[in-house]
Amino acid sequence: MAKRKEKLSIVIPCYNEEEVLPALYKELKKVAKEMSMLTFEFIFINDGSQDKTLKIIKTFAKKDKRVRFISFSRNFGKEAAMYAGLENSLGDYVTIIDADLQDSPSMIEEMYTSIKNEGYDCVALYTKNHKDYSLLRKFFTKCWYILIGKISSIKQVPGARDFRLMTRRMVDAILEMKEYNRYSKGLFSFVGFNTKWINVETNKRMAGKSKFNFFKLFKYALEGILAFSTAPLMFAAFIGLLFCLIAFIAIIVIIAKTLIFGDPATGWPSLACIIIFTSGVQLFFFGVMGMYLSKVYLEVKRRPLYIVKETEKDQKGVEYEKK
Ligand code: UDP
Ligand code: MG
Protein backbone atom coordinates (compact mmCIF):
# COMPACT_ATOMS: atom_id res chain seq x y z
CA MET A 1 0.00 0.00 0.00
CA ALA A 2 1.31 3.43 -0.89
CA LYS A 3 2.37 5.50 2.09
CA ARG A 4 -0.08 8.24 3.01
CA LYS A 5 1.25 11.67 2.22
CA GLU A 6 1.58 13.88 5.26
CA LYS A 7 -0.65 16.90 5.47
CA LEU A 8 0.19 20.53 6.16
CA SER A 9 -2.55 22.83 7.43
CA ILE A 10 -2.18 26.53 6.81
CA VAL A 11 -4.28 28.65 9.16
CA ILE A 12 -5.03 32.21 8.08
CA PRO A 13 -6.85 34.60 10.46
CA CYS A 14 -8.70 37.16 8.37
CA TYR A 15 -10.42 40.33 9.46
CA ASN A 16 -11.49 42.62 6.63
CA GLU A 17 -8.82 41.37 4.28
CA GLU A 18 -10.69 41.50 0.95
CA GLU A 19 -7.85 43.39 -0.71
CA VAL A 20 -5.12 40.89 0.05
CA LEU A 21 -6.85 37.51 -0.13
CA PRO A 22 -6.57 36.85 -3.89
CA ALA A 23 -2.81 37.52 -3.84
CA LEU A 24 -2.37 35.43 -0.70
CA TYR A 25 -4.31 32.51 -2.14
CA LYS A 26 -2.16 32.64 -5.27
CA GLU A 27 0.98 32.47 -3.13
CA LEU A 28 -0.38 29.58 -1.09
CA LYS A 29 -1.21 27.62 -4.21
CA LYS A 30 2.33 28.18 -5.44
CA VAL A 31 3.75 26.83 -2.16
CA ALA A 32 1.48 23.78 -2.34
CA LYS A 33 2.60 23.11 -5.89
CA GLU A 34 6.26 23.30 -4.98
CA MET A 35 5.84 21.08 -1.91
CA SER A 36 4.29 18.14 -3.71
CA MET A 37 5.54 15.73 -1.04
CA LEU A 38 2.67 16.96 1.18
CA THR A 39 -1.06 17.41 0.89
CA PHE A 40 -2.47 20.75 1.96
CA GLU A 41 -5.45 22.38 3.57
CA PHE A 42 -5.88 26.13 3.75
CA ILE A 43 -8.06 27.09 6.69
CA PHE A 44 -9.31 30.65 6.42
CA ILE A 45 -10.82 32.01 9.61
CA ASN A 46 -13.21 34.84 8.90
CA ASP A 47 -13.14 36.78 12.15
CA GLY A 48 -16.42 38.65 11.69
CA SER A 49 -15.30 40.71 8.69
CA GLN A 50 -17.66 43.38 7.46
CA ASP A 51 -16.24 43.49 3.93
CA LYS A 52 -16.22 40.85 1.19
CA THR A 53 -13.70 38.59 2.94
CA LEU A 54 -16.14 35.70 3.42
CA LYS A 55 -17.47 35.96 -0.10
CA ILE A 56 -13.97 35.77 -1.52
CA ILE A 57 -13.07 32.81 0.68
CA LYS A 58 -16.21 31.04 -0.50
CA THR A 59 -15.24 31.47 -4.12
CA PHE A 60 -11.90 29.81 -3.33
CA ALA A 61 -13.65 26.99 -1.48
CA LYS A 62 -16.03 26.32 -4.34
CA LYS A 63 -13.20 25.61 -6.74
CA ASP A 64 -10.60 24.12 -4.43
CA LYS A 65 -11.27 21.31 -1.96
CA ARG A 66 -8.13 22.17 -0.05
CA VAL A 67 -9.78 25.40 1.03
CA ARG A 68 -11.71 25.23 4.27
CA PHE A 69 -13.13 28.10 6.26
CA ILE A 70 -14.63 28.93 9.60
CA SER A 71 -16.69 32.07 9.76
CA PHE A 72 -17.29 33.55 13.21
CA SER A 73 -20.59 35.09 14.27
CA ARG A 74 -18.74 38.34 15.07
CA ASN A 75 -15.22 39.66 15.55
CA PHE A 76 -13.62 37.61 18.33
CA GLY A 77 -10.03 38.75 17.78
CA LYS A 78 -6.93 37.22 16.25
CA GLU A 79 -6.17 35.03 19.27
CA ALA A 80 -9.55 33.32 18.96
CA ALA A 81 -9.08 32.99 15.20
CA MET A 82 -5.73 31.29 15.66
CA TYR A 83 -7.17 28.94 18.26
CA ALA A 84 -10.09 28.02 15.99
CA GLY A 85 -7.68 27.30 13.16
CA LEU A 86 -5.47 25.07 15.29
CA GLU A 87 -8.46 23.30 16.80
CA ASN A 88 -9.98 22.47 13.44
CA SER A 89 -6.79 21.62 11.58
CA LEU A 90 -6.23 18.05 10.45
CA GLY A 91 -2.61 18.32 9.36
CA ASP A 92 0.46 16.54 10.68
CA TYR A 93 2.01 20.00 10.56
CA VAL A 94 0.29 23.29 11.08
CA THR A 95 1.38 26.77 10.18
CA ILE A 96 -0.25 30.09 11.04
CA ILE A 97 0.23 33.00 8.69
CA ASP A 98 -1.24 36.50 8.57
CA ALA A 99 -3.30 37.33 5.52
CA ASP A 100 -1.48 40.54 4.65
CA LEU A 101 1.64 38.94 3.08
CA GLN A 102 3.95 40.74 5.50
CA ASP A 103 5.44 37.26 5.92
CA SER A 104 6.35 35.39 2.75
CA PRO A 105 4.53 32.06 2.38
CA SER A 106 7.56 30.85 0.40
CA MET A 107 9.33 30.43 3.78
CA ILE A 108 7.06 27.48 4.55
CA GLU A 109 9.22 25.06 2.57
CA GLU A 110 12.38 26.03 4.47
CA MET A 111 10.50 25.81 7.77
CA TYR A 112 9.19 22.35 6.91
CA THR A 113 12.67 21.15 5.89
CA SER A 114 14.05 22.27 9.26
CA ILE A 115 11.44 20.27 11.10
CA LYS A 116 11.87 17.25 8.87
CA ASN A 117 15.67 17.15 8.64
CA GLU A 118 16.91 18.93 11.74
CA GLY A 119 14.51 17.45 14.24
CA TYR A 120 12.82 20.64 15.41
CA ASP A 121 9.21 20.65 16.63
CA CYS A 122 8.63 24.19 15.57
CA VAL A 123 10.18 26.79 13.31
CA ALA A 124 9.29 30.38 14.08
CA LEU A 125 10.26 33.66 12.52
CA TYR A 126 11.30 36.95 14.03
CA THR A 127 12.36 40.22 12.55
CA LYS A 128 14.69 42.94 13.71
CA ASN A 129 13.06 45.59 11.59
CA HIS A 130 9.32 45.88 11.11
CA LYS A 131 9.21 47.90 7.91
CA ASP A 132 5.53 48.61 8.26
CA TYR A 133 5.25 49.80 11.83
CA SER A 134 5.60 53.37 13.04
CA LEU A 135 8.59 54.47 15.12
CA LEU A 136 6.31 54.85 18.13
CA ARG A 137 4.98 51.28 17.78
CA LYS A 138 8.54 49.98 17.42
CA PHE A 139 9.64 51.94 20.50
CA PHE A 140 6.78 50.67 22.69
CA THR A 141 7.27 47.12 21.42
CA LYS A 142 10.95 47.28 22.32
CA CYS A 143 10.15 48.61 25.83
CA TRP A 144 7.51 45.92 26.26
CA TYR A 145 9.94 43.11 25.41
CA ILE A 146 12.49 44.48 27.89
CA LEU A 147 9.80 44.66 30.57
CA ILE A 148 8.32 41.21 29.96
CA GLY A 149 11.84 39.76 29.79
CA LYS A 150 12.41 41.03 33.33
CA ILE A 151 9.09 40.19 34.94
CA SER A 152 8.21 36.87 33.34
CA SER A 153 9.98 33.52 33.36
CA ILE A 154 8.66 32.75 29.87
CA LYS A 155 11.16 33.38 27.09
CA GLN A 156 9.88 35.90 24.57
CA VAL A 157 11.83 36.57 21.42
CA PRO A 158 11.74 40.28 20.48
CA GLY A 159 10.18 40.83 17.07
CA ALA A 160 8.57 37.36 17.03
CA ARG A 161 5.97 36.93 14.30
CA ASP A 162 2.92 34.73 14.69
CA PHE A 163 4.08 32.96 11.51
CA ARG A 164 5.36 29.56 12.59
CA LEU A 165 5.21 25.94 11.60
CA MET A 166 4.57 23.32 14.24
CA THR A 167 4.28 19.56 14.52
CA ARG A 168 0.95 18.02 15.46
CA ARG A 169 2.33 17.16 18.90
CA MET A 170 3.07 20.80 19.65
CA VAL A 171 -0.29 21.94 18.29
CA ASP A 172 -2.06 19.45 20.55
CA ALA A 173 -0.09 20.76 23.54
CA ILE A 174 -1.22 24.30 22.74
CA LEU A 175 -4.82 23.17 22.35
CA GLU A 176 -4.62 21.55 25.78
CA MET A 177 -4.44 25.06 27.20
CA LYS A 178 -8.00 26.16 26.98
CA GLU A 179 -7.65 29.44 28.81
CA TYR A 180 -9.98 32.21 27.79
CA ASN A 181 -7.46 35.02 28.06
CA ARG A 182 -5.08 33.81 25.41
CA TYR A 183 -1.68 35.22 24.71
CA SER A 184 -0.37 32.81 22.10
CA LYS A 185 3.16 34.14 21.86
CA GLY A 186 3.56 33.19 25.52
CA LEU A 187 1.73 29.88 25.14
CA PHE A 188 4.00 28.81 22.27
CA SER A 189 6.94 29.37 24.56
CA PHE A 190 5.23 27.82 27.60
CA VAL A 191 4.67 24.43 25.95
CA GLY A 192 8.40 24.08 25.39
CA PHE A 193 9.50 21.84 22.51
CA ASN A 194 12.45 22.61 20.26
CA THR A 195 11.96 25.82 18.35
CA LYS A 196 14.27 27.08 15.63
CA TRP A 197 14.20 30.87 15.26
CA ILE A 198 14.92 32.36 11.86
CA ASN A 199 15.58 36.06 11.40
CA VAL A 200 13.70 37.41 8.39
CA GLU A 201 12.93 40.68 6.71
CA THR A 202 9.21 41.30 6.72
CA ASN A 203 7.43 42.89 3.76
CA LYS A 204 5.14 45.86 3.88
CA ARG A 205 1.45 45.00 4.26
CA MET A 206 0.30 44.21 0.73
CA ALA A 207 -2.87 46.29 0.92
CA GLY A 208 -5.34 47.51 3.52
CA LYS A 209 -4.53 48.81 6.96
CA SER A 210 -3.26 47.18 10.16
CA LYS A 211 -6.15 45.89 12.24
CA PHE A 212 -4.38 46.81 15.45
CA ASN A 213 -4.72 50.42 16.57
CA PHE A 214 -2.90 51.80 19.61
CA PHE A 215 -5.68 50.84 22.02
CA LYS A 216 -5.87 47.25 20.71
CA LEU A 217 -2.10 46.89 20.92
CA PHE A 218 -2.08 48.27 24.46
CA LYS A 219 -4.72 45.71 25.47
CA TYR A 220 -2.70 42.97 23.81
CA ALA A 221 0.47 44.02 25.64
CA LEU A 222 -1.40 44.08 28.94
CA GLU A 223 -2.83 40.64 28.17
CA GLY A 224 0.71 39.33 27.78
CA ILE A 225 1.77 40.72 31.15
CA LEU A 226 -1.33 39.57 33.04
CA ALA A 227 -1.18 36.10 31.46
CA PHE A 228 2.49 35.44 32.11
CA SER A 229 3.57 37.45 35.12
CA THR A 230 2.42 38.12 38.64
CA ALA A 231 5.17 40.69 39.14
CA PRO A 232 2.72 43.65 39.31
CA LEU A 233 1.12 42.03 42.37
CA MET A 234 4.50 41.46 44.00
CA PHE A 235 5.40 45.04 43.19
CA ALA A 236 2.21 46.21 44.93
CA ALA A 237 3.17 44.27 48.04
CA PHE A 238 6.71 45.66 47.90
CA ILE A 239 5.52 49.27 47.60
CA GLY A 240 3.10 48.69 50.49
CA LEU A 241 5.93 47.43 52.63
CA LEU A 242 8.19 50.30 51.62
CA PHE A 243 5.54 52.86 52.58
CA CYS A 244 5.06 51.17 55.96
CA LEU A 245 8.78 51.43 56.57
CA ILE A 246 8.90 55.10 55.59
CA ALA A 247 5.91 55.84 57.85
CA PHE A 248 7.53 53.99 60.75
CA ILE A 249 10.77 55.97 60.41
CA ALA A 250 8.81 59.23 60.08
CA ILE A 251 6.87 58.46 63.30
CA ILE A 252 10.07 57.83 65.22
CA VAL A 253 11.58 61.10 63.92
CA ILE A 254 8.43 63.08 64.85
CA ILE A 255 8.23 61.56 68.35
CA ALA A 256 11.93 62.25 68.92
CA LYS A 257 11.57 65.84 67.67
CA THR A 258 8.54 66.43 69.89
CA LEU A 259 10.29 65.01 72.98
CA ILE A 260 13.51 66.94 72.39
CA PHE A 261 12.23 70.26 71.05
CA GLY A 262 8.59 70.16 72.19
CA ASP A 263 7.54 70.94 68.60
CA PRO A 264 3.90 71.79 68.10
CA ALA A 265 2.16 69.91 65.30
CA THR A 266 2.98 71.61 61.98
CA GLY A 267 3.00 70.71 58.31
CA TRP A 268 -0.68 70.19 57.47
CA PRO A 269 -0.29 70.95 53.75
CA SER A 270 2.44 68.33 53.39
CA LEU A 271 0.25 65.90 55.33
CA ALA A 272 -2.58 66.48 52.85
CA CYS A 273 -0.18 65.78 49.98
CA ILE A 274 1.01 62.58 51.63
CA ILE A 275 -2.58 61.39 52.12
CA ILE A 276 -3.48 62.10 48.50
CA PHE A 277 -0.31 60.41 47.29
CA THR A 278 -0.74 57.26 49.37
CA SER A 279 -4.42 56.93 48.52
CA GLY A 280 -3.46 57.30 44.84
CA VAL A 281 -0.93 54.50 45.20
CA GLN A 282 -3.54 52.37 46.97
CA LEU A 283 -6.11 52.94 44.26
CA PHE A 284 -3.55 52.16 41.57
CA PHE A 285 -2.76 48.81 43.12
CA PHE A 286 -6.43 48.09 43.70
CA GLY A 287 -6.68 48.58 39.98
CA VAL A 288 -3.82 46.14 39.36
CA MET A 289 -5.49 43.54 41.58
CA GLY A 290 -8.78 44.27 39.84
CA MET A 291 -7.19 43.49 36.48
CA TYR A 292 -6.04 40.09 37.67
CA LEU A 293 -9.40 39.49 39.29
CA SER A 294 -11.22 40.39 36.08
CA LYS A 295 -9.15 37.79 34.24
CA VAL A 296 -10.13 35.17 36.83
CA TYR A 297 -13.75 36.25 36.46
CA LEU A 298 -13.60 35.79 32.69
CA GLU A 299 -11.90 32.39 33.08
CA VAL A 300 -14.49 30.98 35.50
CA LYS A 301 -17.35 31.98 33.24
CA ARG A 302 -15.99 29.51 30.68
CA ARG A 303 -17.45 31.31 27.73
CA PRO A 304 -16.48 29.92 24.33
CA LEU A 305 -13.47 31.52 22.68
CA TYR A 306 -15.38 31.88 19.44
CA ILE A 307 -18.79 31.12 17.96
CA VAL A 308 -19.04 29.64 14.49
CA LYS A 309 -21.70 30.87 12.13
CA GLU A 310 -20.70 29.00 9.03
CA THR A 311 -18.03 26.62 7.73
CA GLU A 312 -17.11 25.05 4.41
CA LYS A 313 -19.29 22.07 5.36
CA ASP A 314 -22.36 24.28 5.09
CA GLN A 315 -21.71 24.65 1.39
CA LYS A 316 -23.75 22.34 -0.75
CA GLY A 317 -22.28 19.59 -2.88
CA VAL A 318 -18.79 19.44 -1.39
CA GLU A 319 -17.63 16.41 0.62
CA TYR A 320 -14.89 17.00 3.17
CA GLU A 321 -12.65 14.78 5.23
CA LYS A 322 -13.91 14.26 8.80
CA LYS A 323 -11.78 14.97 11.86
N1 UDP B 1 -6.86 39.73 12.51
C1 UDP B 1 -7.93 38.97 12.93
N2 UDP B 1 -8.80 39.52 13.85
C2 UDP B 1 -8.61 40.76 14.37
C3 UDP B 1 -7.50 41.52 13.95
C4 UDP B 1 -6.63 40.96 13.03
O1 UDP B 1 -8.13 37.84 12.47
O2 UDP B 1 -9.44 41.19 15.18
C5 UDP B 1 -5.93 39.16 11.50
C6 UDP B 1 -5.68 40.03 10.29
O3 UDP B 1 -6.66 39.86 9.30
C7 UDP B 1 -4.31 39.58 9.84
C8 UDP B 1 -3.62 39.22 11.16
O4 UDP B 1 -4.66 39.03 12.10
O5 UDP B 1 -4.35 38.43 9.02
C9 UDP B 1 -2.67 40.30 11.62
O6 UDP B 1 -3.31 41.55 11.60
P1 UDP B 1 -2.58 42.88 11.09
O7 UDP B 1 -1.74 42.56 9.90
O8 UDP B 1 -3.60 43.93 10.92
O9 UDP B 1 -1.67 43.21 12.35
P2 UDP B 1 -0.21 43.86 12.42
O10 UDP B 1 0.62 43.26 11.32
O11 UDP B 1 -0.40 45.33 12.26
O12 UDP B 1 0.27 43.50 13.78
MG1 MG C 1 0.21 42.61 9.49
Side-chain angles (χ1 to χ4, degrees):
M1 205 173 80
K3 212 175 150 213
R4 178 186 79 95
K5 272 192 187 179
E6 287 186 305
K7 179 176 265 196
L8 175 68
S9 308
I10 304 183
V11 172
I12 313 120
C14 308
Y15 179 49
N16 294 340
E17 298 287 10
E18 60 179 9
E19 286 159 288
V20 296
L21 283 179
L24 173 79
Y25 178 50
K26 209 167 137 196
E27 288 291 317
L28 295 181
K29 280 199 294 189
K30 214 154 91 191
V31 171
K33 202 168 167 196
E34 272 159 25
M35 296 177 72
S36 54
M37 62 290 205
L38 295 172
T39 58
F40 278 81
E41 65 174 359
F42 311 131
I43 312 178
F44 291 87
I45 313 294
N46 174 37
D47 184 14
S49 304
Q50 289 103 27
D51 65 359
K52 294 201 194 83
T53 296
L54 181 60
K55 214 171 142 194
I56 296 171
I57 296 171
K58 279 182 178 173
T59 57
F60 300 157
K62 271 214 176 87
K63 283 189 259 159
D64 186 346
K65 263 181 88 171
R66 293 170 302 180
V67 174
R68 300 176 52 203
F69 67 86
I70 297 164
S71 185
F72 289 174
S73 59
R74 64 169 171 85
N75 179 247
F76 280 88
K78 187 183 175 187
E79 287 290 331
M82 290 197 291
Y83 186 82
L86 296 181
E87 195 173 38
N88 290 280
S89 64
L90 301 168
D92 304 287
Y93 305 94
V94 185
T95 178
I96 303 171
I97 187 164
D98 288 356
D100 58 5
L101 286 172
Q102 267 180 320
D103 303 296
S104 308
S106 57
M107 282 299 295
I108 293 175
E109 186 159 10
E110 185 184 331
M111 292 155 92
Y112 169 75
T113 313
S114 289
I115 287 190
K116 215 56 199 163
N117 300 344
E118 295 166 35
Y120 286 100
D121 306 289
C122 173
V123 179
L125 304 185
Y126 73 100
T127 184
K128 287 196 170 138
N129 183 24
H130 276 295
K131 282 192 199 135
D132 234 0
Y133 304 154
S134 67
L135 275 178
L136 201 66
R137 178 166 172 178
K138 281 190 217 168
F139 172 74
F140 280 122
T141 308
K142 205 169 170 183
C143 294
W144 186 86
Y145 274 111
I146 293 172
L147 179 71
I148 197 81
K150 295 217 181 313
I151 65 175
S152 163
S153 54
I154 291 292
K155 190 177 159 244
Q156 308 258 359
V157 174
R161 310 286 301 148
D162 283 325
F163 185 24
R164 54 173 64 226
L165 199 145
M166 296 167 276
T167 57
R168 169 54 46 191
R169 197 159 274 185
M170 181 159 171
V171 172
D172 287 343
I174 288 160
L175 291 172
E176 274 299 302
M177 285 179 292
K178 301 193 187 303
E179 57 207 75
Y180 183 80
N181 299 284
R182 294 189 83 74
Y183 177 72
S184 288
K185 282 198 173 93
L187 296 177
F188 291 141
S189 170
F190 179 86
V191 293
F193 292 98
N194 253 350
T195 299
K196 177 177 177 176
W197 285 94
I198 305 179
N199 181 12
V200 286
E201 284 280 312
T202 50
N203 311 313
K204 276 190 180 276
R205 187 178 235 286
M206 212 217 122
K209 270 202 212 138
S210 169
K211 309 298 178 283
F212 287 88
N213 55 27
F214 187 82
F215 179 65
K216 248 181 146 178
L217 279 171
F218 182 75
K219 256 183 79 184
Y220 181 61
L222 208 59
E223 201 72 62
I225 293 174
L226 296 177
F228 282 97
S229 172
T230 48
L233 292 173
M234 300 284 271
F235 187 60
F238 170 77
I239 292 287
L241 217 63
L242 186 72
F243 275 34
C244 287
L245 196 71
I246 293 170
F248 184 69
I249 294 167
I251 288 168
I252 291 178
V253 171
I254 289 166
I255 291 174
K257 257 176 91 179
T258 314
L259 287 178
I260 298 164
F261 303 108
D263 245 2
T266 54
W268 287 110
S270 53
L271 193 63
C273 291
I274 290 166
I275 289 171
I276 293 168
F277 177 67
T278 50
S279 53
V281 170
Q282 281 174 13
L283 277 179
F284 175 71
F285 286 117
F286 266 134
V288 172
M289 276 187 264
M291 280 194 271
Y292 281 93
L293 190 65
S294 70
K295 295 292 166 197
V296 179
Y297 178 56
L298 289 171
E299 291 296 340
V300 295
K301 280 203 272 195
R302 297 199 146 268
R303 284 187 180 159
L305 275 165
Y306 61 91
I307 294 168
V308 178
K309 187 176 168 197
E310 203 181 339
T311 74
E312 79 280 349
K313 298 196 178 76
D314 297 313
Q315 300 203 112
K316 289 198 179 81
V318 197
E319 270 292 305
Y320 287 92
E321 197 181 326
K322 292 204 169 56
K323 198 173 182 181

